[in-house]
Amino acid sequence: MRSNGSRFECMRMRPHDHIGWVFSGAAAFDELAMPFLAEGAARGELLMYVTGAPSPATASALRNLYGTQTVQVASIGEVYGESGIVDAMAQRATFASVLTDALAAAFSGIRVAADNTALVADEERLAAWIRWEHVADRFMAERPVTGLCAFDRQQVDVNRLRHLATLHPLSSCAEPEPQFRMFADDGNLRLEGQIDSFAVGELPLALDVLPPETGVLIDVSAATFVSRAPLARLRRLASSGVSVTICGDPAALESLELNGLSHGENLVLMAT
């Protein structure tokens, strides 16, 4: 399984890791990004540094450290489009092309440090960003990519930050604790944490932008159902054709069955 949970520092990041981080002010983003990128350089990765408007001093420092062939410094507009409304499929193609070129140039992968604050500034941008996060996370899960998604708490509402944390398998201990997490893992969409109807209701939004064969996996050793309502929604999701697997200790699975969840078409309870 991929690395997941909360971290006290943004260090020891490896390919397939995808972390969300909250910072305060532009200087704090550079303090966060620099060691993250240094780790990538030591691993032979192509580096990408992305902010709303990179400062000339930071751009110069990065290029002096790593050379223009190893680090790409770009603005949000250059990478994600000037509108700030991310087209998930087009963005995936962009990063796939960058990765292909990087591997052909003998890099081991790509590492992206991005201040994405501007891309969640309003509801339209946020909705587009959420779709992209699901696509990006699947991309990172399957390819040698390491991603740091950072957001400035001085500009983003705390409830929005908490929602954004649910989209990352890893996040900072200093940011709002997510109630749940959903992330790509071995071809599935894994759901962990405190699972209520809202959490289950987020699954179709993610599945809409993921490959059609994507299933849902819930390991009850890392997940708790807060009521019977999310179980009913999972049954309906399975009835719609989505493969739903719930695994864990037999006693925990028996408890779910007593609460009305049972084997059925596209719904599997699997003891581990």
Side-chain angles (χ1 to χ4, degrees):
M1 186 173 69
R2 295 169 70 199
S3 299
N4 65 96
S6 299
R7 289 197 174 178
F8 288 98
E9 56 183 1
C10 188
M11 298 292 287
R12 295 176 295 282
M13 299 289 289
R14 299 296 182 262
H16 314 299
D17 285 350
H18 178 200
I19 193 165
W21 204 275
V22 174
F23 65 95
S24 297
F29 174 69
D30 281 355
E31 291 173 4
L32 174 67
M34 290 301 188
F36 172 79
L37 293 173
E39 280 192 341
R43 296 183 64 87
E45 297 168 343
L46 176 70
L47 312 178
M48 297 182 68
Y49 171 95
V50 186
T51 68
S55 75
T58 299
S60 178
L62 286 168
R63 289 165 181 151
N64 287 338
L65 278 170
Y66 305 117
T68 56
Q69 300 303 310
T70 298
V71 62
Q72 298 180 3
V73 179
S75 69
I76 287 289
E78 290 171 323
V79 175
Y80 295 102
E82 293 297 337
S83 71
I85 301 171
V86 180
D87 181 324
M89 294 302 112
Q91 200 61 50
R92 184 190 183 283
T94 295
F95 279 104
S97 177
V98 172
L99 177 59
T100 297
D101 291 345
L103 295 176
F107 290 100
S108 63
I110 62 176
R111 178 171 294 229
V112 184
D115 171 5
N116 298 311
T117 304
L119 297 170
V120 298
D122 55 43
E123 292 301 323
E124 185 177 13
R125 287 176 173 81
L126 177 64
W129 183 256
I130 289 171
R131 292 192 293 273
W132 163 239
E133 284 282 14
H134 292 305
V135 172
D137 187 60
R138 177 68 171 258
F139 183 73
M140 282 183 256
E142 297 175 342
R143 289 165 176 78
V145 180
T146 311
L148 164 62
C149 295
F151 305 92
D152 191 341
R153 62 164 48 90
Q154 295 178 0
Q155 301 182 49
V156 183
D157 174 78
V158 64
N159 291 318
R160 187 165 293 184
L161 291 174
R162 184 173 289 109
H163 190 180
L164 290 166
T166 69
L167 309 175
H168 298 85
L170 289 164
S171 61
S172 163
C173 288
E175 70 182 88
E177 182 69 21
Q179 172 195 320
F180 62 91
R181 297 181 194 273
M182 60 174 64
F183 55 93
D185 189 37
D186 196 24
N188 293 305
L189 189 59
R190 179 180 285 265
L191 184 61
E192 296 187 349
Q194 299 292 314
I195 301 177
D196 59 10
S197 291
F198 175 77
V200 177
E202 292 293 286
L203 291 170
L205 302 177
L207 292 168
D208 278 347
V209 294
L210 293 175
E213 69 277 10
T214 302
V216 172
L217 177 64
I218 300 172
D219 185 339
V220 293
S221 68
T224 302
F225 291 96
V226 301
S227 69
R228 298 180 67 171
L231 300 179
R233 296 196 73 163
L234 282 172
R235 284 197 301 272
R236 291 196 292 272
L237 185 64
S239 297
S240 74
V242 176
S243 173
V244 177
T245 301
I246 302 177
C247 63
D249 180 78
L253 298 181
E254 182 179 358
S255 174
L256 293 178
E257 289 181 307
L258 291 173
N259 280 283
L261 194 68
S262 59
H263 290 277
E265 187 176 2
N266 297 318
L267 178 59
V268 176
L269 302 182
M270 182 172 64
T272 56

